[in-house]
Amino acid sequence: QVLLVESGGGLVQPGGSLRLSCVASGSTYSIYRTGWYRQAPGKERELVASISTSDGVTTYAESAKGRFTISRDNAKDTVFLQMDSLKPEDTAVYYCTAHSRRGKAWGNLYTDWGQGTQVTVAP
């Protein structure tokens, strides 16, 4: 089991910045990739960014490139999302996600979700 606890959401003006944090606990040794999703009212969940645990390879949604940066501190089991130049369109609930494999000769795959943190971008 992997437990994810998020923090850092809040209200910010357009053009401002926020840094989201996600601390993982439990079977953290088994996590091979973590990421951030977001969901705005009336819209589907969207993958914003992800990062590989082992080699740090990252992916970004087109809307996030150049403005958001995902990083992690493996020693502290923490993933960050630095959000700069925020726009009202970025308003959403942001979720931390961990993908893991463990047991049965590492053939069992798992996905865990954080509780979500609200990000609101408004004047």
Side-chain angles (χ1 to χ4, degrees):
Q1 182 186 26
V2 173
L3 177 66
L4 305 172
V5 179
E6 298 148 301
S7 62
L11 174 64
V12 66
Q13 293 182 322
S17 298
L18 286 173
R19 187 163 99 145
L20 307 183
S21 299
C22 174
V23 180
S25 61
S27 302
T28 59
Y29 68 91
S30 67
I31 301 172
Y32 64 87
R33 195 162 192 87
T34 58
W36 292 91
Y37 283 76
R38 68 185 180 189
Q39 187 167 27
K43 300 181 65 177
E44 297 181 356
R45 270 179 175 162
E46 173 191 23
L47 177 63
V48 178
S50 67
I51 185 168
S52 170
T53 301
S54 59
D55 58 17
V57 174
T58 59
T59 64
Y60 293 94
E62 198 65 33
S63 61
K65 290 180 179 178
R67 299 189 300 123
F68 294 1
T69 303
I70 188 170
S71 62
R72 71 169 298 148
D73 184 342
N74 286 346
K76 297 182 178 180
D77 293 324
T78 303
V79 180
F80 306 96
L81 184 67
Q82 179 67 42
M83 308 167 66
D84 299 319
S85 302
L86 284 163
K87 306 174 181 179
E89 306 90 87
D90 296 316
T91 296
V93 178
Y94 284 71
Y95 298 89
C96 181
T97 305
H99 302 285
S100 310
R101 59 187 303 167
R102 57 184 178 270
K104 191 76 171 174
W106 292 13
N108 296 331
L109 306 180
Y110 304 89
T111 300
D112 295 284
W113 293 80
Q115 80 287 349
T117 184
Q118 177 70 49
V119 172
T120 302
V121 184

